[in-house]
Every structure is written in structure tokens, then in C-alpha cells.
Amino acid sequence: MIGFAVLPEQRKAERRLRDELGRASSTLRSIEAVTDPGLAFLEIDDLLAAVLGRTRDEIGGDVVAVMLVNEGGSALRVRASVGATELSPVGSEVLVGEGVLGIAAQWARPVVVSDVRGGETGELPKSQKEIASLMAAPLIAHGTTLGIVEVAALERRTFAAGDLRLLQVVSDRLAAVVERGRLDDLARRSRFGAEHASMHLRILARGGTVLGKALGSYDTALDELADVVVPEFSDWFSVDVLEDFEKIRRVASLGRPGTFGGHIPGWAGYPHPKGDELVALAVAQCRAQFMVPTSRLDPTELGATVHTSETFGDCPDMSSFLVVPVQVRGAVTAVLSFATGPEERGFRPSDLETGKELAERVGVTIERVRSWRASQRAGEM
């Protein structure tokens, strides 16, 4: 009789063991699915989409999304989402510290909410008002919270402990991916910065060489300067010199073939329809004029007047326009104009500094030529 009493307990224990082994095996397969080494060869956006898609397959839910902290650390922005993407559209934001997702990022802790509509855990973004249940885990690398990954459902559901464990595995994987992308971006920026600085030094050195040859006339030297500037520094370049009675004479002009009159010898126009007004402003203000697509530049720090399409009119044929006055003994004697084509990146503050340094060299050249001419006239008397 005793043996028969023990058997049912043994069967129950064996059943529990089989269930636990089954759950462990299922969890292992899920982890393998979202950490597949083959995914590492994908580009970051493709990799994010693949991991999120596999996460949704394993955990379920109507939408799975990854949100990254912005540069200022004030908000989370959706970088990628799969499923009902209208619930977490790419580019939408949530303030850090506000609502369920913002709190998860602020405290760097996972959250599981079975009933979001209960209101106790804070507001969701407007796009997510239909969500009933969600789970989120922070992306942490080297002690820094990079963002969160969320799984959300339109119908109420209870997430299992295994679901949260799997999501934390996903968050660890995504944190490594995002950190790798961030480091790659920093390295790329560093390389670009070094190459950009090298290009500036090269332009200034070559420009100084061609300008240093001018003595009796600066026309040829300024023409050669245009060949130095285009196309390595800008897609179009011109030099207008103020001569007798403040009359402006176009001394040099060169555009990359196919842009800004580059195919028209001696083209006297400007890439922007109001280019002559910008030149007039540069002369009147003795100040550089910087026309760029963004208004986020500080004119005080730049030492230039900043214009945008909103303040000075749009020009689809160019991306940026830079006008730098050339001063000799406090008076404007010439104007250098630079422009980039619509397919090129716009000028940056470092480009403005290079433009100003070129202007200083041109000013020295003009003064040297005029002094030489004056001495020649004095010798003839």
C-alpha cells in the first residue's frame, strides 16, 4: 500500500521536472533566436529590425520598439519598431522621467504593467493610448542608460517571468549594438574631422602659395586661387574687388562643372538670387554673411550674420552660401563668396574660419599689389 501511495507523488515530480525542462528548453531557443551571431553582420537598422521581429515572435505583443535617449538626455526617441508601428512611430518621443517608459529610462529598471489604463503608472504618449499592457527593459552600457526596449499589447495580458528575462536578454543585446554604433559614429566623426582639418590646412597652404606670387597685379593670382578652392573646398567661388569709387569688379569666378554657371566662362551671377544683397550686406556691415539650412548657429560666436531660407528666401540650387569681406586697414576692399551644391553638405563653422583666413591672405595680397603700384607711380614722377 505504501508503494502505491508514493507513485503519484513521483509522477507529479517527474511532470514538474519535464515542464521545467520544457520551459528551459523553450527559453533557450528564444534566447538563441534573438542572439543569433549571424545577425551581427547586418547594418544597425537592419539588425534592430531583425532582433525586434524575433522578440515579437517569441514574446508576442502588438508592437515591439527600441527607443534611444537623445543627445541632451531629456527624451527617448523611437529608433525602430515592428508590428503595429503606428503605436510607436519612428521619430516619436517620450520625455525621460514621464510616464511608464520615461520612468523605466530614468530609473534604469525594467517595468511590467498588466493594466496601463489603470493610470497609476503615468501617462503614455498619445500614439499609445490604445495600449493595455506593456513591458520595458532599459538598454545599459558601461553604467549609462542608452534607451529602452518595449513590448506592448492592445489587449490586457499578464507577462510571465520568462518573458521579462528574455526581454532583458534582448535589451543587453541591443545595448551592445547601440553602443557599437555610437562608437563607430564617434570614430567616423573623428576621421572626418581629421580629414576636414587636413583639407583646410591644404587649402590655406596652396592659397598662400598662389597669392604670394602677385606683385604688379592680383587678377592672375585670384584666378589661380579659384582653382585651389573649387571643387575641394566649395562648388563655386568668386572674388569681387572694390576699386575706384567703390565700384565692384568681378575678378575671379569658378564653378564646378554643371553647377552655378561652371559651364559659363566669366559668369558674373551668384548661386542665390539675392547674392548681390548678401555681398552688399557684407560690405556695409564689414561682417561675414552665412546662409545655411539651419538656424541653430549662434551669430555671436560665429562672428557672422546668419541667414536661413525663412529669413532670406529659399534656393533649391544650393545648400549653403558664404560671403566673407576682405578688409585692409579697417576698410572692405574685396568680397569672397563660396557656395555648395544642393547634393553636398552645407558649410560649417570651421569652414567659415577657413574662409576668413583666406580673406586675410587676399587682403595682404591686395595691399601688397596696391602698395607696389603706388611706389611705381611715385617713381615715375
Side-chain angles (χ1 to χ4, degrees), residues 91-106:
S92 59
E93 292 188 346
V94 175
L95 294 179
V96 172
E98 293 190 8
V100 182
L101 304 177
I103 290 172
Q106 183 180 41

Side-chain angles (χ1 to χ4, degrees), residues 211 326-328 333-334 336 357-369:
L211 291 172
V326 176
Q327 299 184 57
V328 175
T333 60
L336 309 184
E357 291 193 42
L358 278 176
E360 290 180 6
R361 287 162 170 74
V362 170
V364 170
T365 300
I366 291 176
E367 183 175 28
R368 182 174 66 248
V369 169

Side-chain angles (χ1 to χ4, degrees), residues 71-249:
E71 289 188 6
S74 61
L76 293 164
R77 178 173 297 172
V78 177
R79 173 65 182 267
S81 65
V82 298
T85 54
E86 68 276 6
L87 297 175
S88 291
V90 173
S92 59
E93 292 188 346
V94 175
L95 294 179
V96 172
E98 293 190 8
V100 182
L101 304 177
I103 290 172
Q106 183 180 41
W107 292 101
R109 294 176 182 173
V111 295
V112 180
V113 185
S114 298
D115 184 11
V116 177
R117 295 165 185 165
E120 296 180 1
T121 52
E123 291 289 321
L124 284 174
K126 291 181 179 179
S127 62
Q128 296 190 336
K129 290 299 184 182
E130 298 179 16
I131 288 176
S133 302
L134 68 78
M135 177 172 58
L139 277 60
I140 301 174
H142 308 298
T144 300
T145 300
L146 306 178
I148 63 168
V149 57
E150 66 158 334
V151 177
L154 295 174
E155 300 293 333
R156 280 194 61 180
R157 61 169 286 185
T158 300
F159 293 101
D163 294 331
L164 180 57
R165 284 197 296 271
L166 178 58
L167 191 64
Q168 288 177 305
V169 171
V170 171
S171 69
D172 289 342
R173 175 68 190 275
L174 293 180
V177 170
V178 171
E179 179 68 359
R180 187 192 72 192
R182 187 184 71 83
L183 294 176
D184 287 346
D185 186 55
L186 286 175
R188 187 163 48 250
R189 290 185 185 183
S190 179
R191 287 195 302 272
F192 176 79
E195 292 169 0
H196 200 59
S198 177
M199 181 269 287
H200 283 192
L201 292 174
R202 190 163 56 248
I203 292 294
L204 292 174
R206 292 174 58 199
T209 299
V210 300
L211 291 172
K213 296 184 293 184
L215 184 59
S217 171
Y218 42 68
D219 288 33
T220 300
L222 294 177
D223 264 332
E224 292 181 7
L225 179 63
D227 288 320
V228 170
V229 172
V230 178
E232 187 170 17
F233 181 73
S234 68
D235 295 315
W236 179 84
F237 172 69
S238 74
V239 184
D240 296 303
V241 179
L242 279 72
E243 296 185 327
D244 298 335
F245 306 106
E246 300 293 311
K247 182 179 180 181
I248 294 180
R249 178 172 71 91

Side-chain angles (χ1 to χ4, degrees), residues 18-32 58:
R18 284 196 300 271
D19 290 343
E20 289 176 2
L21 288 174
R23 285 193 294 270
S25 178
S26 177
T27 300
L28 181 60
R29 286 194 300 271
S30 298
I31 291 174
E32 289 174 344
E58 299 299 327

Side-chain angles (χ1 to χ4, degrees), residues 17-62:
L17 181 59
R18 284 196 300 271
D19 290 343
E20 289 176 2
L21 288 174
R23 285 193 294 270
S25 178
S26 177
T27 300
L28 181 60
R29 286 194 300 271
S30 298
I31 291 174
E32 289 174 344
V34 299
T35 58
D36 181 357
L39 298 178
F41 296 99
L42 298 175
E43 293 293 330
I44 184 168
D45 288 320
D46 294 333
L47 194 153
L48 290 176
V51 172
L52 294 181
R54 294 188 181 194
T55 302
R56 185 167 179 250
D57 291 340
E58 299 299 327
I59 297 178
D62 293 289

